[in-house]
Amino acid sequence: MCNFSQSLKRYREIYGATQKQMAEKLGMTPNAYQKYELGTREPKLSTLIEIADILEVSLDDLVGRIFP
């Protein structure tokens, strides 16, 4: 099962955005966004929803949730 940071990076790359572009869309510094992909920081729910909307993926997919 993928974790959030791995899924985030994978979907960002599929979307075709850089970390800097994602940070700009979210109104944060590139360093703050990078911490999400490094797994050293987790976003608030509202930010998580915004990320999913930008990347056009479900929250389940974004957080790596797999149903049995």
Side-chain angles (χ1 to χ4, degrees):
M1 181 166 123
C2 281
N3 64 32
F4 168 68
S5 60
Q6 291 171 332
S7 293
L8 177 60
K9 181 177 180 180
R10 185 175 86 236
Y11 285 116
R12 175 184 56 79
E13 290 174 344
I14 290 169
Y15 182 73
T18 65
Q19 288 182 349
K20 182 178 178 183
Q21 290 169 328
M22 286 297 295
E24 289 172 358
K25 288 179 182 282
L26 295 165
M28 62 178 55
T29 66
N31 187 45
Y33 177 82
Q34 185 180 43
K35 289 179 181 180
Y36 294 156
E37 288 194 9
L38 292 174
T40 58
R41 181 178 173 191
E42 293 183 355
K44 300 183 302 182
L45 179 58
S46 59
T47 304
L48 190 61
I49 292 168
E50 191 173 357
I51 292 169
D53 287 346
I54 290 167
L55 299 177
E56 301 176 353
V57 298
S58 72
L59 287 175
D60 285 334
D61 288 340
L62 186 58
V63 298
R65 184 172 181 213
I66 299 171
F67 294 95

